[in-house]
């Protein structure tokens, strides 16, 4: 039986009757109801660009041996609406994780000063198998670091609280490999014309998000799995 996603999370995703997202335009306020996924709702990624949507080394939350569908999330760890989406993705993991591959891509919006380092913190934790745990921490404490001028120590504290190997975390966090991975994700998102965060694609087709209700994820997944 599926758990009910708390109504406060759903309510938090609603503004003026539309989906709330962080748009790519620096002039677009974070409370824009028209910026991202709904604007991309009819978009289907062409077959020759699928490697930009799901690279061979993409990070996964679930990766069953024989996935029947692939759900891709573009996220920005400084975007408040991505924080609200995170529990819905965790619910999808609980409900569909043995059937659906769930991929997480970074889309650190340039207008967010700490989106890139927060993505690197999650990526560095992912190197030690703690992607979801670090993501949960940065989302939970978003208000504590989003406006800070020096966030390195904050993210190191989170890594220590997660019990990570600190020498390895620090090295990975600052490494060219992690910086390049985040930069590649950003470039892929821009090449695919992803309009904001959070944005979801199911088997290459943008998922329409208008109310923030979990059913907007679960119903397309049910349809994909039943076809």
């Amino acid at each position: 039986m599926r758990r009910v996603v708390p109504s406060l999370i759903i309510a938090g995703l609603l503004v003026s009757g539309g989906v709330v997202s962080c748009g790519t335009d620096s002039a677009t306020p974070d409370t824009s109801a028209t910026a991202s996924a709904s604007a991309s709702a009819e978009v289907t990624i062409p077959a020759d660009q699928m490697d930009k949507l799901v690279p061979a080394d993409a990070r996964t939350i679930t990766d069953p041996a024989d996935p029947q569908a692939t759900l891709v999330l573009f996220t920005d760890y400084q975007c408040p609406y991505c924080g609200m989406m995170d529990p819905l993705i965790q619910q999808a993991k609980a409900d569909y994780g043995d059937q659906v591959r769930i991929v997480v891509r970074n889309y650190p919006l340039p207008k967010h000063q700490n989106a890139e380092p927060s993505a690197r913190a999650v990526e560095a934790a992912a190197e030690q198998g703690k992607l979801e745990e670090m993501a949960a921490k940065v989302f939970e404490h978003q208000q504590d670091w989003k406006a800070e001028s020096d966030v390195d120590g904050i993210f190191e504290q989170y890594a220590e609280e997660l019990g990570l190997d600190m020498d390895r975390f620090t090295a990975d966090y600052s490494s060219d490999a992690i910086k390049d991975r985040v930069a590649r994700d950003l470039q892929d998102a821009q090449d695919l014309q992803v309009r904001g965060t959070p944005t979801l694609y199911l088997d290459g087709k943008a998922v329409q998000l208008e109310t923030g209700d979990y059913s907007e994820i679960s119903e397309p997944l049910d349809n994909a799995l039943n076809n």
Side-chain angles (χ1 to χ4, degrees), residues 104-116:
V104 180
R105 306 293 307 278
N106 299 294
Y107 193 3
L109 300 176
K111 69 179 183 177
H112 288 156
Q113 68 180 42
N114 289 324
E116 193 271 347

Side-chain angles (χ1 to χ4, degrees), residues 176-195:
D176 288 341
I178 292 297
K179 291 178 182 177
D180 289 348
R181 174 183 276 273
V182 173
R184 182 197 64 183
D185 280 7
L186 172 60
Q187 187 61 59
D188 285 349
Q190 291 173 336
D191 289 347
L192 294 169
Q193 299 183 4
V194 180
R195 302 208 177 183

Side-chain angles (χ1 to χ4, degrees), residues 147-225:
E148 291 294 319
S149 59
D150 182 5
V151 294
D152 296 354
I154 295 174
F155 296 143
E156 287 176 2
Q157 178 184 340
Y158 298 164
E160 191 167 9
E161 290 171 359
L162 291 174
L164 300 184
D165 179 321
M166 291 307 299
D167 289 340
R168 182 179 176 189
F169 175 83
T170 302
D172 286 336
Y173 175 72
S174 301
S175 70
D176 288 341
I178 292 297
K179 291 178 182 177
D180 289 348
R181 174 183 276 273
V182 173
R184 182 197 64 183
D185 280 7
L186 172 60
Q187 187 61 59
D188 285 349
Q190 291 173 336
D191 289 347
L192 294 169
Q193 299 183 4
V194 180
R195 302 208 177 183
T197 58
T199 293
L200 288 168
Y201 293 89
L202 177 59
D203 291 336
K205 183 176 180 179
V207 176
Q208 181 146 6
L209 302 171
E210 291 186 344
T211 68
D213 193 295
Y214 178 60
S215 64
E216 292 182 329
I217 300 174
S218 63
E219 288 179 4
L221 282 169
D222 287 341
N223 290 336
L225 296 175

Side-chain angles (χ1 to χ4, degrees), residues 4-60:
V4 176
V5 178
S7 58
L8 287 177
I9 293 173
I10 295 171
L13 284 163
L14 299 178
V15 167
S16 303
V19 68
V20 181
S21 64
C22 294
T24 56
D25 187 345
S26 61
T28 302
D30 280 349
T31 54
S32 169
T34 60
S36 82
S38 62
S40 305
E42 300 304 318
V43 170
T44 299
I45 303 300
D48 62 357
Q49 290 190 292
M50 287 301 293
D51 61 334
K52 287 185 175 292
L53 183 64
V54 186
D57 63 344
R59 300 288 189 192
T60 57

Side-chain angles (χ1 to χ4, degrees), residues 76-114:
D76 173 335
Y77 294 101
Q78 192 173 331
C79 170
Y81 309 111
C82 291
M84 296 174 185
M85 176 60 68
D86 191 54
L88 306 185
I89 295 298
Q90 290 299 316
Q91 183 67 56
K93 173 186 176 179
D95 291 343
Y96 301 97
D98 59 344
Q99 298 174 284
V100 176
R101 177 172 55 161
I102 302 177
V103 176
V104 180
R105 306 293 307 278
N106 299 294
Y107 193 3
L109 300 176
K111 69 179 183 177
H112 288 156
Q113 68 180 42
N114 289 324

